[in-house]
């Protein structure tokens, strides 16, 4: 039931089974099946299928959406209490981070965590920025670090560092970019609008490391962090509109958690060392 609710919340927000599948890293038939099973259990229709790609939530879905977060919140509390009891109160944090953060920042954070909190255990889930936010809302992670400026209800967002984007690669008319929902994808679309660029070809890749390797082979251009430029690849620094923030995001109910406040300080130290 709880997995179905998590899937439902993403479908409700995206208004799309396919986008929900991308963000949850599962197949579209799996998303459709989970929604059907949830509808069967509730004896109601949650989404009106207007076309193959267009769906609209019903009144029942509106009611469920506002209740689902509280249900998942309670379930998360139960899991946390059980985990703490079994772990003899050992602190555990579930991180969700964007791919850029995973490439240029999190290893430094991990080193600092080891130094400052040797008894702390943690897991790390890598996704795009919207995926991290959805995982946070669905209580799959405790804290996220992203670079896309997302805002949503009951989620705290605080800037904890800066990152300069550059245009890297050879101008072949081809651009390599991330998938919708990612920070790099967001800023690449912004760059196309501001520079009035209409690429001859766009290649979408859902892995930042692979984009970097494709650019290094002379296939085309991409926006990359200035801390992640491949060797011997030409790069052009962009304007201040493309200095992006790293954001720490967490739910309202744990905003005063002492360990999270210390994690925020650690992230700032790690980011300053870049």
């Amino acid at each position: 039931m709880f997995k179905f609710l998590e899937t439902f919340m993403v479908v409700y927000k995206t208004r799309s089974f396919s986008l929900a599948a991308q963000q949850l890293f599962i197949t579209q038939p799996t998303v459709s099946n989970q929604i059907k099973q949830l509808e069967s259990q509730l004896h109601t229709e949650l989404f009106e299928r207007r076309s193959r790609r267009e769906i609209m939530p019903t009144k029942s879905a509106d009611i469920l959406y506002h209740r689902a977060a509280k249900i998942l919140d309670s379930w998360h509390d139960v899991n946390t209490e059980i985990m703490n009891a079994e772990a003899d109160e050992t602190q555990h944090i579930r991180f969700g981070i964007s791919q850029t953060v995973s490439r240029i920042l999190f290893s430094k954070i991990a080193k600092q965590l080891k130094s400052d909190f040797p008894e702390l255990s943690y897991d790390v889930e890598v996704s795009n920025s919207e995926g991290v936010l959805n995982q946070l809302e669905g209580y799959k992670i405790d804290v996220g670090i992203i670079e896309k400026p997302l805002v949503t209800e009951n989620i705290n967002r605080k800037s904890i560092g800066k990152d300069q984007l550059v245009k890297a690669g050879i101008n072949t008319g081809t651009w390599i970019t991330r998938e919708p929902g990612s920070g790099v994808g967001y800023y690449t679309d912004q760059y196309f609008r501001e520079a009035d660029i209409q690429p001859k070809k766009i290649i979408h890749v859902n892995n930042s490391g692979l984009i970097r390797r494709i650019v290094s082979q002379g296939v085309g251009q991409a926006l990359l962090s200035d801390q992640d430029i491949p060797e011997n690849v030409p790069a052009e620094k962009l304007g201040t509109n493309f200095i992006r923030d790293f954001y720490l995001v967490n739910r309202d109910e744990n905003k005063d958690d002492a360990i999270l406040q210390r994690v925020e300080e650690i992230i700032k130290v790690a980011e300053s060392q870049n």
Side-chain angles (χ1 to χ4, degrees), residues 134-193:
N134 285 327
Q135 289 170 337
L136 189 62
E137 290 183 309
Y139 293 86
K140 292 183 175 180
I141 61 172
D142 302 308
V143 60
I145 311 171
I146 61 177
E147 71 271 7
K148 186 176 178 181
L150 299 169
V151 179
T152 189
E153 188 178 0
N154 300 323
I155 298 295
N156 299 298
R157 188 191 77 181
K158 181 178 290 188
S159 174
I160 45 86
K162 303 286 184 181
D163 181 48
Q164 173 70 61
L165 288 172
V166 299
K167 179 174 64 174
I170 299 172
N171 184 6
T172 64
T174 296
W175 277 81
I176 306 97
T177 185
R178 289 283 306 283
E179 75 283 0
S182 69
V184 169
Y186 170 84
Y187 283 102
T188 301
D189 289 341
Q190 178 180 321
Y191 179 71
F192 288 163
R193 291 192 298 270

Side-chain angles (χ1 to χ4, degrees), residues 14 18 43 80 86 140 160 168 180 183-184 203 208 226 237 239 247-248 254:
T14 61
S18 59
H43 304 290
T80 300
E86 293 180 348
K140 292 183 175 180
I160 45 86
V184 169
I203 301 172
S208 296
D226 65 354
K237 188 174 180 179
Y247 297 104
L248 183 73
N254 60 15

Side-chain angles (χ1 to χ4, degrees), residues 70-89:
K70 294 181 180 179
I71 295 170
L72 290 170
D73 187 11
S74 297
W75 178 243
H76 175 263
D77 287 345
V78 170
N79 276 290
T80 300
E81 287 182 25
I82 292 174
M83 180 183 68
N84 287 339
E86 293 180 348
D88 194 25
E89 301 301 325

Side-chain angles (χ1 to χ4, degrees), residues 27-251:
T27 65
Q28 184 171 334
T30 299
V31 171
S32 299
N33 183 55
Q34 290 182 3
I35 295 300
K36 286 180 180 178
Q37 290 189 58
L38 187 59
E39 288 176 327
S40 177
Q41 291 181 21
L42 296 173
H43 304 290
T44 188
E45 184 179 31
L46 295 172
F47 297 100
E48 180 183 341
R49 284 76 165 174
R50 295 188 173 179
S51 68
R52 184 177 179 182
R53 294 188 176 182
E54 183 183 10
I55 63 172
M56 288 297 294
T58 62
K59 289 183 179 179
S60 296
D62 292 336
I63 294 171
L64 179 60
Y65 180 77
H66 293 292
R67 297 279 187 175
K70 294 181 180 179
I71 295 170
L72 290 170
D73 187 11
S74 297
W75 178 243
H76 175 263
D77 287 345
V78 170
N79 276 290
T80 300
E81 287 182 25
I82 292 174
M83 180 183 68
N84 287 339
E86 293 180 348
D88 194 25
E89 301 301 325
T90 297
Q91 289 180 307
H92 182 91
I93 292 182
R94 298 168 299 169
F95 285 99
I97 62 175
S98 68
Q99 291 199 30
T100 298
V101 172
S102 76
R103 289 187 61 79
I104 68 176
L105 184 58
F106 198 82
S107 62
K108 298 181 179 67
I109 294 171
K111 180 180 179 180
Q112 200 71 27
L113 285 172
K114 183 177 184 296
S115 172
D116 288 26
F117 295 105
E119 301 303 319
L120 176 69
S121 64
Y122 59 90
D123 299 321
V124 184
E125 184 79 22
V126 180
S127 182
N128 62 38
S129 292
E130 288 189 7
V132 170
L133 196 65
N134 285 327
Q135 289 170 337
L136 189 62
E137 290 183 309
Y139 293 86
K140 292 183 175 180
I141 61 172
D142 302 308
V143 60
I145 311 171
I146 61 177
E147 71 271 7
K148 186 176 178 181
L150 299 169
V151 179
T152 189
E153 188 178 0
N154 300 323
I155 298 295
N156 299 298
R157 188 191 77 181
K158 181 178 290 188
S159 174
I160 45 86
K162 303 286 184 181
D163 181 48
Q164 173 70 61
L165 288 172
V166 299
K167 179 174 64 174
I170 299 172
N171 184 6
T172 64
T174 296
W175 277 81
I176 306 97
T177 185
R178 289 283 306 283
E179 75 283 0
S182 69
V184 169
Y186 170 84
Y187 283 102
T188 301
D189 289 341
Q190 178 180 321
Y191 179 71
F192 288 163
R193 291 192 298 270
E194 292 191 10
D196 194 24
I197 291 177
Q198 295 182 335
K200 294 179 182 177
K201 181 188 292 185
I202 296 178
I203 301 172
H204 289 94
V205 179
N206 68 348
N207 183 284
S208 296
L210 181 55
I211 290 179
R212 185 180 183 276
R213 292 192 291 273
I214 292 174
V215 167
S216 70
Q217 295 299 314
V219 175
Q221 295 174 294
L223 295 195
L224 299 173
S225 167
D226 65 354
Q227 302 172 59
D228 199 30
I229 305 170
E231 188 176 355
N232 300 321
V233 169
E236 176 186 338
K237 188 174 180 179
L238 303 178
T240 56
N241 287 349
F242 296 91
I243 298 176
R244 59 182 177 174
D245 289 78
F246 288 128
Y247 297 104
L248 183 73
V249 289
N250 64 284
R251 293 183 298 276

